[in-house]
Amino acid sequence: MKTLIFETLENNKVKCGMCSHYCVIEDGKRGICCVRENHGGTLDTLVYPRLIARGIDPVEKKPIFHLKPGSLSYSIATVGCNFKCSFCQNADIAQMPADHNGLIRGVDTPPEEIVQQAVRGRCESISYTYTEPGVFFELAYETAKKAREKGLMNIFVTNGYMSPKAIEMIAPYLDAANVDLKAFNEKFYIKQCRAKLEPVKETLKLMKSLGILVEVTTLLIPGLNDDKEELKAMAAFIADSLGVETPWHISRFHPSYRLSHNKSTPLETLEQACKTGREAGLRYVYIGNASGLDAENTCCHSCGRVLVQRSMYRIKKYINEKGECPDCGTKVYGIF
């Protein structure tokens, strides 16, 4: 299948328009994501419709806390990624083509079948996750349209590097996105992800302006992106550019992939980052991947009443399905 956004250049080269790398690719070669290949001046996707992973998850596991709390989400992915994160949590599938000479695996699963499986699984949404949905955008786009016809919601769990044109294409069908804001300094993005920070910031602002429910996740890695001043600047950006209602998920790092020698994030660091977010005025700050910390509940930002009580992505108590505080009537940000 042809890539949805590209242009043909001289000598059969192509320029991909799907993400902010804007790869210029020679005939017979692939882009940074390793799943789009130039065939004689036509850029083809190699992963449509080849799912490498699928499953039914609590929507909280994405993590999405402000769309249908307690509901199930049908989660899918193909191989590939346009980032090369040294700390990748799903490197076995996300980095498969990059690490194994272009290897692409998966089972052909057309959009209609994906939607049917979601309906049979009593899911209320489909999440495009595990790897970067931008690299299987064509499959996500066609699936999202059919999902909407069946009354299902659509969620992107993304690194935020899609091009503005791609975001505008999916926006009419995209209900929510959890966007990784991996750090708030350019050096981290270049060295650890082989990408840049500014396009991610612009994606966040564009998604919010298009009416997509946005939640932000930051994986805190000791010594790499946990500087107190950097976190303060990040929290200020979220509050000022996206709005104080934007949920911020602070996630604990566990050794993985090329950072398997690093230590896990100290609990004190997570708690300090959470405090920093709240001091910046953010109404909903959560800590994930860390058992023993009571920081997953959604509380009323006016009176403090616990509205959704969670434990490791599971709902223990759900106060009000209308998204309003029963004590003071304050409206909670989200889709309920």
Side-chain angles (χ1 to χ4, degrees):
M1 182 178 185
K2 284 201 303 185
T3 292
L4 287 175
I5 308 171
F6 76 94
E7 59 179 303
T8 303
L9 308 176
E10 294 181 353
N11 301 318
N12 278 344
K13 291 183 180 180
V14 297
K15 182 178 182 180
C16 181
M18 296 307 302
C19 86
S20 291
H21 286 301
Y22 294 107
C23 294
V24 174
I25 308 167
E26 295 184 357
D27 192 7
K29 302 295 183 180
R30 300 185 189 182
I32 288 174
C33 64
C34 297
V35 300
R36 301 185 187 278
E37 189 167 285
N38 180 358
H39 295 146
T42 298
L43 186 61
D44 292 329
T45 169
L46 306 179
V47 293
Y48 184 98
R50 304 181 66 181
L51 293 188
I52 191 66
R54 70 185 87 190
I56 296 175
D57 295 321
V59 72
E60 278 79 13
K61 198 173 181 180
K62 301 301 99 192
I64 289 283
F65 281 15
H66 288 254
L67 181 147
K68 299 278 187 177
S71 67
L72 297 175
S73 190
Y74 194 70
S75 303
I76 63 169
T78 72
V79 302
C81 189
N82 55 352
F83 275 24
K84 307 300 175 190
C85 297
S86 57
F87 49 89
C88 183
Q89 307 291 293
N90 289 314
D92 55 333
I93 56 176
Q95 304 302 329
M96 179 187 290
D99 289 347
H100 299 282
N101 298 315
L103 176 65
I104 291 176
R105 288 180 174 165
V107 177
D108 283 358
T109 314
E112 298 85 355
E113 186 176 336
I114 294 171
V115 173
Q116 289 170 5
Q117 291 171 354
V119 171
R120 285 198 298 268
R122 298 183 179 180
C123 298
E124 295 190 46
S125 62
I126 296 179
S127 290
Y128 309 84
T129 179
Y130 304 138
T131 62
E132 166 53 38
V135 306
F136 60 95
F137 185 89
E138 291 77 10
L139 180 58
Y141 181 66
E142 294 300 325
T143 302
K145 289 192 290 185
K146 295 184 183 302
R148 181 61 63 83
E149 292 172 1
K150 294 294 185 181
L152 299 175
M153 293 186 169
N154 294 293
I155 299 166
F156 269 19
V157 181
T158 173
N159 59 29
Y161 225 61
M162 283 177 291
S163 68
K165 189 170 183 178
I167 295 168
E168 289 164 359
M169 282 183 67
I170 194 66
Y173 311 101
L174 189 61
D175 298 282
N178 187 298
V179 182
D180 282 342
L181 187 55
K182 296 177 184 289
F184 214 62
N185 75 79
E186 190 73 2
K187 289 183 179 180
F188 178 96
Y189 264 89
I190 292 171
K191 183 176 181 180
Q192 303 297 336
C193 309
R194 299 186 192 175
K196 296 179 179 179
L197 169 60
E198 197 60 33
V200 181
K201 293 165 64 178
E202 292 304 311
T203 286
L204 283 161
K205 291 187 283 187
L206 177 57
M207 283 185 165
K208 196 75 183 236
S209 73
L210 291 171
I212 298 165
L213 188 154
V214 173
E215 304 195 22
V216 178
T217 292
T218 303
L219 179 71
L220 284 190
I221 306 172
L224 293 182
N225 66 347
D226 59 350
D227 177 78
K228 292 180 181 179
E229 293 304 312
E230 182 179 324
L231 291 174
K232 188 180 296 184
M234 183 185 293
F237 165 79
I238 297 171
D240 297 341
S241 299
L242 306 180
V244 294
E245 74 280 5
T246 305
W248 188 23
H249 300 265
I250 299 162
S251 187
R252 190 183 195 190
F253 167 80
H254 296 289
S256 63
Y257 197 39
R258 303 190 192 285
L259 291 187
S260 58
H261 57 283
N262 281 44
K263 295 181 179 179
S264 296
T265 317
L267 297 182
E268 304 78 46
T269 302
L270 300 169
E271 292 174 318
Q272 179 59 48
C274 186
K275 181 181 178 182
T276 298
R278 289 173 178 155
E279 289 175 347
L282 295 177
R283 295 172 177 172
Y284 311 108
V285 186
Y286 304 104
I287 296 176
N289 283 352
S291 59
L293 294 182
D294 185 22
E296 295 179 291
N297 298 334
T298 298
C299 299
C300 175
H301 63 270
S302 292
C303 70
R305 172 73 179 269
V306 175
L307 303 177
V308 185
Q309 186 178 18
R310 301 180 180 87
S311 178
M312 296 302 289
Y313 309 122
R314 300 289 180 178
I315 298 293
K316 296 178 71 176
K317 186 182 293 185
Y318 191 5
I319 301 297
N320 193 326
E321 292 186 356
K322 294 181 180 179
E324 297 176 354
C325 177
D327 287 355
C328 67
T330 298
K331 186 74 175 177
V332 181
Y333 175 69
I335 300 171
F336 295 90

